[in-house]
Amino acid sequence: MTFSFSQGSFRRRACGALGAAALSLTGFAPIDLPRARAAVVSVGNVTAVPAGGGNVNGFYLVGDSSYGQVTVTAGSPISVIGANNAIFGDDAKVDGVGSFTGLNGNLNVGKDLILGNGGSGSLSVGQLARITATENIILGNNDGSTGRLFVNDL
Protein backbone atom coordinates (compact mmCIF):
# COMPACT_ATOMS: atom_id res chain seq x y z
CA MET A 1 0.00 0.00 0.00
CA THR A 2 1.04 3.57 -0.54
CA PHE A 3 -0.25 6.29 1.71
CA SER A 4 0.04 9.88 0.66
CA PHE A 5 -0.85 13.11 2.38
CA SER A 6 -1.53 16.21 0.35
CA GLN A 7 -2.65 19.43 2.02
CA GLY A 8 -4.14 17.43 4.86
CA SER A 9 -6.08 14.87 2.79
CA PHE A 10 -5.53 11.14 3.03
CA ARG A 11 -5.75 8.62 0.18
CA ARG A 12 -5.02 4.93 -0.03
CA ARG A 13 -3.87 3.36 -3.29
CA ALA A 14 -3.17 -0.24 -4.20
CA CYS A 15 0.48 -1.12 -4.62
CA GLY A 16 1.96 -3.78 -6.92
CA ALA A 17 3.93 -5.62 -4.19
CA LEU A 18 1.87 -7.21 -1.47
CA GLY A 19 2.89 -6.07 2.00
CA ALA A 20 5.08 -3.19 0.78
CA ALA A 21 4.35 0.23 2.26
CA ALA A 22 5.65 3.74 1.66
CA LEU A 23 4.83 7.09 3.20
CA SER A 24 4.99 10.33 1.29
CA LEU A 25 4.34 13.72 2.88
CA THR A 26 3.80 16.73 0.64
CA GLY A 27 2.46 20.23 1.03
CA PHE A 28 3.96 20.84 4.48
CA ALA A 29 6.29 23.71 5.32
CA PRO A 30 9.70 22.71 6.68
CA ILE A 31 10.14 23.06 10.40
CA ASP A 32 13.16 25.03 11.58
CA LEU A 33 14.11 23.43 14.89
CA PRO A 34 16.76 24.95 17.13
CA ARG A 35 19.98 22.99 17.09
CA ALA A 36 21.53 21.81 20.34
CA ARG A 37 25.00 23.25 20.72
CA ALA A 38 27.31 21.36 22.99
CA ALA A 39 30.23 23.37 24.25
CA VAL A 40 32.46 24.31 27.13
CA VAL A 41 33.54 27.95 26.91
CA SER A 42 36.05 29.38 29.38
CA VAL A 43 37.13 32.95 30.01
CA GLY A 44 40.02 33.95 32.23
CA ASN A 45 41.59 31.77 34.91
CA VAL A 46 39.96 28.32 34.45
CA THR A 47 41.41 24.78 34.52
CA ALA A 48 41.52 23.54 30.93
CA VAL A 49 38.78 21.17 29.73
CA PRO A 50 38.19 19.99 26.12
CA ALA A 51 35.53 22.02 24.24
CA GLY A 52 33.20 19.01 24.26
CA GLY A 53 33.59 18.36 27.99
CA GLY A 54 35.56 15.59 29.64
CA ASN A 55 37.48 14.52 32.71
CA VAL A 56 39.62 16.64 34.99
CA ASN A 57 42.11 14.59 37.00
CA GLY A 58 42.93 17.17 39.66
CA PHE A 59 41.29 20.18 41.24
CA TYR A 60 38.98 22.05 38.83
CA LEU A 61 39.49 25.76 39.45
CA VAL A 62 37.34 28.57 38.07
CA GLY A 63 38.75 31.87 39.28
CA ASP A 64 41.86 30.67 41.10
CA SER A 65 44.19 33.70 41.30
CA SER A 66 42.19 35.96 38.95
CA TYR A 67 38.69 36.14 37.43
CA GLY A 68 37.43 32.97 35.76
CA GLN A 69 34.19 32.00 34.05
CA VAL A 70 32.95 28.76 32.48
CA THR A 71 29.78 28.16 30.45
CA VAL A 72 28.73 24.58 29.75
CA THR A 73 25.83 23.71 27.45
CA ALA A 74 23.95 20.52 26.59
CA GLY A 75 25.95 17.38 26.00
CA SER A 76 29.26 18.65 27.42
CA PRO A 77 29.62 17.21 30.91
CA ILE A 78 32.67 17.95 33.05
CA SER A 79 33.73 15.27 35.53
CA VAL A 80 36.23 16.05 38.27
CA ILE A 81 37.47 12.53 38.95
CA GLY A 82 39.06 11.03 42.04
CA ALA A 83 39.09 12.74 45.43
CA ASN A 84 39.34 16.21 43.87
CA ASN A 85 37.37 19.40 44.44
CA ALA A 86 35.81 21.88 42.05
CA ILE A 87 36.38 25.42 43.35
CA PHE A 88 34.78 28.61 42.05
CA GLY A 89 36.44 31.75 43.49
CA ASP A 90 39.51 30.25 45.17
CA ASP A 91 41.68 33.17 46.32
CA ALA A 92 40.56 36.27 48.25
CA LYS A 93 38.88 38.96 46.15
CA VAL A 94 38.69 36.62 43.10
CA ASP A 95 35.42 35.81 41.30
CA GLY A 96 34.66 32.39 39.84
CA VAL A 97 31.45 32.12 37.79
CA GLY A 98 29.85 29.04 36.24
CA SER A 99 26.76 28.33 34.16
CA PHE A 100 25.59 24.80 33.34
CA THR A 101 22.52 24.42 31.11
CA GLY A 102 20.82 21.86 28.94
CA LEU A 103 20.49 18.09 29.04
CA ASN A 104 23.82 16.52 30.03
CA GLY A 105 25.49 19.92 30.53
CA ASN A 106 26.56 18.55 33.89
CA LEU A 107 29.23 19.03 36.52
CA ASN A 108 30.17 15.88 38.47
CA VAL A 109 32.64 16.38 41.32
CA GLY A 110 34.61 13.55 42.95
CA LYS A 111 34.76 15.27 46.33
CA ASP A 112 33.58 18.80 47.30
CA LEU A 113 32.03 21.56 45.22
CA ILE A 114 33.18 24.83 46.82
CA LEU A 115 31.57 28.10 45.79
CA GLY A 116 33.69 30.84 47.33
CA ASN A 117 36.75 29.32 48.96
CA GLY A 118 38.48 32.64 49.67
CA GLY A 119 36.76 34.80 47.06
CA SER A 120 33.33 34.83 45.49
CA GLY A 121 31.91 31.81 43.68
CA SER A 122 28.61 31.62 41.88
CA LEU A 123 27.10 28.79 39.91
CA SER A 124 23.83 28.54 38.01
CA VAL A 125 22.26 25.32 36.80
CA GLY A 126 19.15 24.96 34.68
CA GLN A 127 17.28 23.42 31.77
CA LEU A 128 17.92 19.76 32.72
CA ALA A 129 21.62 20.17 33.62
CA ARG A 130 22.75 18.47 36.82
CA ILE A 131 25.36 19.31 39.46
CA THR A 132 26.58 16.50 41.73
CA ALA A 133 29.25 16.36 44.42
CA THR A 134 30.25 13.07 46.04
CA GLU A 135 30.76 14.71 49.43
CA ASN A 136 29.74 18.36 50.09
CA ILE A 137 28.50 21.49 48.39
CA ILE A 138 30.04 24.38 50.34
CA LEU A 139 28.93 28.01 50.02
CA GLY A 140 31.41 30.58 51.39
CA ASN A 141 34.10 28.32 52.83
CA ASN A 142 36.30 30.92 54.59
CA ASP A 143 35.89 34.32 56.27
CA GLY A 144 35.18 37.02 53.69
CA SER A 145 34.16 34.56 50.96
CA THR A 146 30.71 34.26 49.42
CA GLY A 147 29.03 31.43 47.57
CA ARG A 148 25.87 31.51 45.48
CA LEU A 149 24.03 28.61 43.84
CA PHE A 150 21.18 29.40 41.46
CA VAL A 151 18.77 26.71 40.22
CA ASN A 152 16.55 27.71 37.28
CA ASP A 153 14.10 26.07 34.87
CA LEU A 154 14.52 22.47 35.98
Side-chain angles (χ1 to χ4, degrees):
M1 285 186 190
T2 300
F3 296 93
S4 63
F5 294 87
S6 178
Q7 301 296 338
S9 64
F10 174 80
R11 297 189 309 267
R12 185 181 115 180
R13 294 187 300 211
C15 189
L18 184 60
L23 180 63
S24 171
L25 300 174
T26 59
F28 294 93
I31 299 173
D32 186 23
L33 296 175
R35 303 267 188 244
R37 297 176 192 214
V40 175
V41 178
S42 302
V43 175
N45 190 238
V46 178
T47 302
V49 174
N55 294 336
V56 176
N57 191 12
F59 278 25
Y60 180 61
L61 302 169
V62 179
D64 179 20
S65 57
S66 61
Y67 177 82
Q69 177 181 348
V70 64
T71 303
V72 178
T73 56
S76 307
I78 295 176
S79 294
V80 181
I81 59 176
N84 291 301
N85 297 330
I87 303 172
F88 291 73
D90 190 30
D91 290 350
K93 299 184 182 179
V94 172
D95 294 330
V97 179
S99 174
F100 291 78
T101 59
L103 183 63
N104 208 25
N106 303 336
L107 174 62
N108 305 303
V109 183
K111 192 173 179 192
D112 295 333
L113 170 60
I114 302 170
L115 303 177
N117 191 40
S120 175
S122 81
L123 181 65
S124 67
V125 57
Q127 301 169 349
L128 301 177
R130 186 173 55 194
I131 305 296
T132 57
T134 302
E135 293 190 19
N136 303 297
I137 296 177
I138 300 168
L139 305 177
N141 194 33
N142 294 305
D143 288 343
S145 64
T146 59
R148 294 178 185 91
L149 177 61
F150 301 93
V151 179
N152 305 302
D153 301 324
L154 294 180

